[in-house]
DNA sequence: GTGAAAGCGCTAACAG
DNA sequence: CTGTTAGCGCTTTCAC
């Protein structure tokens, strides 16, 4: 008796069943079994079923390594996620995953972790496994390392702008996103808008440049200030401390992402500064956190799963068709206004005195 | 000229450099190159260096598949994460990763994603890749599927209690954790403490049972109520709605994890019920979120990275030593009291009238 | 130490 | 459709 859910069956310990075994047991040639395992159309229904039945009974499972070695392709792509703790990446992965399944590819996930040169090492592993392609999500690798890599294997970069003609890329248009943020803030009356940046993180420089440009466009060049950060809540908190120490608190803060914003708000709150009454705060990404009423963060939403889907599709196209020109997709992000932003109301500095 | 950071070098396009090539170029036999690549001590320093230099120059990279095929082991373990969006799993992974590096193992990460039978499929992939072992973090697989799997390959389960003698497991002691929660709440004066559970999620049943037992132990059997959930914020919100609709709001809520708690608080807030004044809320896991001032959630902390480390170590021990008895580690969790809990103050029900 | 020989389990032509 | 013949790139004896 089995449970009603399809019984999960795994081969028994140490028993290494090969194609040969299946062939012998089914009374056919090994080649025939190979064809069946690959769903070749040139196998009769009867034989196919018999082979499949025997394989099932024996607990046969194709050896991916042998298959990859012999066929010289793995139908597997490596996905390197910058950071597994940030749900942003998980959501991009959802899209990659979905599209990969649709296209019949398998994915191998890796992240840099805390190691030094973690990304290089992960890429190295993908290369040794001979994945057919690599998806880099928010990589911190240098642009030259990425284009170099692209010479060895098809590569697509997500959530970071690339200009190389060797690698495809899918990202949101930071200029549009940041312009919407600054526009929203200036419309509320803010002039002094600081930016806590993402340091050397993926896309941080683009966002920083977009901020500078948008401030200029809105005639707020004088109220510009960039505080160094790194895409974490701790960075947000530290940045607030720095501003406080400098006695230079702006009326609004544009954080590099929602985590930085959360950390900043947390710290502001701890110092007795109210958001948005004393300081308005805007994030980026619209992760789950931002929507909680406790935070209710004004932020910018990027279509993450869609980015993942497009990236994987582009990669597979390059793998299979050998496309040579680069595809650079820029999706339009959307400002999501919640309650962490409001009209400025006098200088927050007074509260410190 | 190169950049100061060690130049990243990847082999050029399509150039498939094999051991043979390196051997020829270095003027040695292929076997020698093989020994060098495996850090064999029986190779002289000079030759070793020459081989390494040639390999580097040619951009040689060992083929993991060929190596795995020939050696019949991969020094790779598969890690199946229940859910990539939940930072809890990422933190367990940090520990696994660290220990794997220490022990010279490589890890392959997978998650069930949104697919049906996602876990089975991921496990299937690990099996096809012939990983030396598998780490299951918070698996939803049936216990029988897991023990069945363990017959094929070494397995260790994290964050879920197993009683099988075939698989090792590392988890926190839910009974202790939940008892601490209920103890804290009853000490504050609560009697009606509802539990929003984790549905069929990993460890949900254990936590549910622990709740029932703890309530009994504290003489609060009458105030017991379990509302079905599933480890997500949405479930927390829905559970609150249900309680509201039933006109049966307890004075305290023990949520299956921090996300459920966050969702519950969010909803309570939306309904005008204050936390902790009207309802106290406790979570589980102490993820990043819980520490934010906006939430300041009382919760239970599990040593996640430590769990990961222990699990990987146990797995490798089983792989290499072939240990046959199961190791079941139970770590002691710690109650973290913040400000989402307080003494009950009259019935929250009144507020609905 | 070193090199030759024999596979690991599978795919890929190519004749039947 | 079927069976045979070659490898894929590497590790592993096992003599030298």
């Amino acid at each position: 008796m089995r449970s009603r859910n399809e019984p999960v069956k795994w081969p028994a310990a140490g028993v290494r069943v090969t194609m040969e075994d299946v062939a012998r047991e089914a009374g056919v040639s090994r080649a025939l079994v190979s064809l069946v395992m690959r769903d070749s159309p040139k196998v009769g229904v009867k034989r196919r079923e018999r082979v499949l039945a025997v394989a099932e009974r024996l607990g046969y499972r194709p050896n991916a390594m042998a298959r990859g070695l012999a066929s010289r392709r793995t139908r597997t792509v490596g996905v390197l996620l910058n950071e597994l703790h940030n749900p942003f990446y998980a959501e991009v992965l959802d899209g990659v995953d979905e599209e990969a399944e649709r296209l019949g590819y398998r994915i191998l996930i890796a992240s840099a972790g805390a190691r030094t040169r973690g990304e290089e090492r992960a890429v190295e592993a993908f290369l040794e496994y001979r994945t057919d392609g690599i998806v880099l999500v928010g990589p911190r690798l240098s642009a030259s390392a990425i284009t170099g890599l692209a010479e060895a294997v098809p590569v697509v970069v997500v959530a970071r702008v690339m200009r190389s003609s060797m690698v495809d890329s899918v990202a949101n248009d930071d200029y549009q996103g940041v312009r919407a943020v600054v526009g929203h803030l200036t419309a509320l009356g803010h002039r002094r808008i600081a930016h806590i940046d993402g340091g050397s993180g993926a896309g941080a420089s683009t966002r920083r440049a977009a901020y500078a440009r948008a401030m200029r466009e809105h005639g707020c060049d004088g109220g510009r200030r960039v505080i160094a950060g790194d895409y974490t809540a701790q960075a947000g908190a530290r940045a607030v401390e720095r501003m406080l120490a400098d006695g230079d608190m702006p009326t609004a803060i544009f954080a590099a992402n929602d985590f930085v914003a959360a950390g900043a708000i947390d710290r502001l709150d701890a110092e007795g500064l109210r958001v948005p009454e004393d300081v308005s705060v805007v994030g980026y990404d619209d992760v789950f956190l931002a929507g909680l009423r406790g935070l209710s963060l004004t932020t910018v939403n990027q279509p993450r799963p869609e980015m993942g889907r497009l990236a994987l599709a582009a990669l597979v196209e390059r793998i299979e068709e050998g496309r040579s020109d680069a595809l650079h997709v820029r999706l339009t992000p959307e400002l999501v206004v919640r309650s962490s932003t409001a009209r400025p109301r006098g200088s927050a500095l007074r509260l410190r005195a």
Side-chain angles (χ1 to χ4, degrees), chain A residues 2-340:
Chain A
R2 299 273 192 172
S3 67
R4 258 149 316 140
N5 296 318
E6 277 198 33
V8 181
K9 208 194 152 201
W10 281 298
V15 183
R16 319 194 82 80
V17 187
T18 73
M19 223 170 219
E20 189 71 56
D21 301 321
V22 177
R24 194 180 326 109
E25 187 75 12
V28 300
S29 75
R30 203 180 39 161
L32 196 263
V33 178
S34 175
L35 290 178
V36 170
M37 297 318 288
R38 280 177 285 149
D39 287 319
S40 165
K42 23 185 186 173
V43 179
V45 185
K46 305 188 63 163
R47 312 200 106 202
R48 141 169 287 119
E49 287 186 350
R50 186 140 64 84
V51 170
L52 252 20
V54 172
E56 165 82 32
R57 181 155 57 74
L58 263 41
Y60 169 72
R61 186 179 320 285
N63 182 320
M65 294 183 293
R67 185 191 292 225
L69 229 207
S71 67
R72 298 159 140 291
R73 64 202 294 334
T74 55
R75 281 210 149 257
T76 295
V77 306
V79 183
L80 177 57
L81 300 179
N82 174 312
E83 163 66 277
L84 241 32
H85 300 77
N86 185 337
F88 175 86
Y89 296 100
E91 291 177 42
V92 171
L93 181 66
D94 287 339
V96 172
D97 196 37
E98 185 191 318
E99 190 70 5
E101 159 145 44
R102 219 172 60 70
L103 298 176
Y105 275 73
R106 186 166 270 173
I107 65 180
L108 249 35
I109 305 169
S111 96
R115 305 185 224 71
T116 51
R117 294 178 43 104
E119 301 203 342
E120 280 91 340
R121 300 182 47 153
V123 164
E124 197 68 38
F126 288 152
L127 254 17
E128 290 188 12
Y129 277 109
R130 303 294 193 267
T131 57
D132 293 341
I134 295 181
V135 180
L136 263 17
V137 189
R140 278 173 298 223
L141 286 168
S142 71
S144 67
I146 294 175
T147 53
L149 174 62
E151 277 168 37
V153 58
V155 172
V156 59
V157 173
V158 183
R160 169 167 161 188
V161 173
M162 293 292 296
R163 84 180 67 264
S164 161
S165 64
M166 288 296 300
V167 328
D168 299 320
S169 74
V170 179
N172 88 118
D173 186 329
D174 277 320
Y175 286 98
Q176 282 189 52
V178 176
R179 188 178 299 126
V181 169
V182 175
H184 168 63
L185 255 14
T186 54
L188 286 172
H190 294 276
R191 312 295 298 171
R192 292 173 51 227
I193 306 170
H195 174 46
I196 305 176
D197 81 356
S200 57
S205 61
T206 309
R207 219 159 270 177
R208 204 155 43 219
Y211 160 76
R213 190 205 276 187
M215 288 295 276
R216 215 176 310 119
E217 288 175 358
H218 286 87
C220 298
D221 233 19
R224 225 167 85 192
R225 176 171 182 198
V226 175
I227 294 95
D230 65 5
Y231 282 141
T232 66
Q234 289 73 44
R238 273 198 303 271
V240 165
E241 281 159 22
R242 178 129 15 109
M243 293 190 267
L244 247 17
D246 294 352
D248 182 26
M249 184 58 66
T251 63
I253 294 174
F254 164 43
N257 74 6
D258 293 344
F259 287 97
V260 173
I265 290 177
D266 216 46
R267 200 86 201 90
L268 286 168
D269 200 49
E271 297 289 340
L273 289 173
R274 307 280 312 179
V275 173
E277 291 80 358
D278 300 318
V279 184
S280 284
V281 177
V282 180
Y284 211 102
D285 289 350
D286 196 23
V287 296
F288 154 76
L289 230 180
L292 292 178
R293 295 175 60 93
L295 200 54
S296 193
L297 187 66
T298 291
T299 185
V300 177
N301 181 57
Q302 307 186 44
R304 288 142 288 186
E306 179 66 8
M307 289 165 66
R309 269 191 296 271
L310 290 172
L312 198 280
L315 184 66
V316 169
E317 190 196 349
R318 189 181 276 269
I319 292 171
E320 300 184 347
E321 328 270 283
R323 174 165 49 66
S324 62
D325 53 319
L327 200 61
H328 292 293
V329 182
R330 291 293 163 270
L331 268 28
T332 299
E334 174 199 16
L335 180 72
V336 180
V337 179
R338 294 208 180 82
S339 40
S340 65

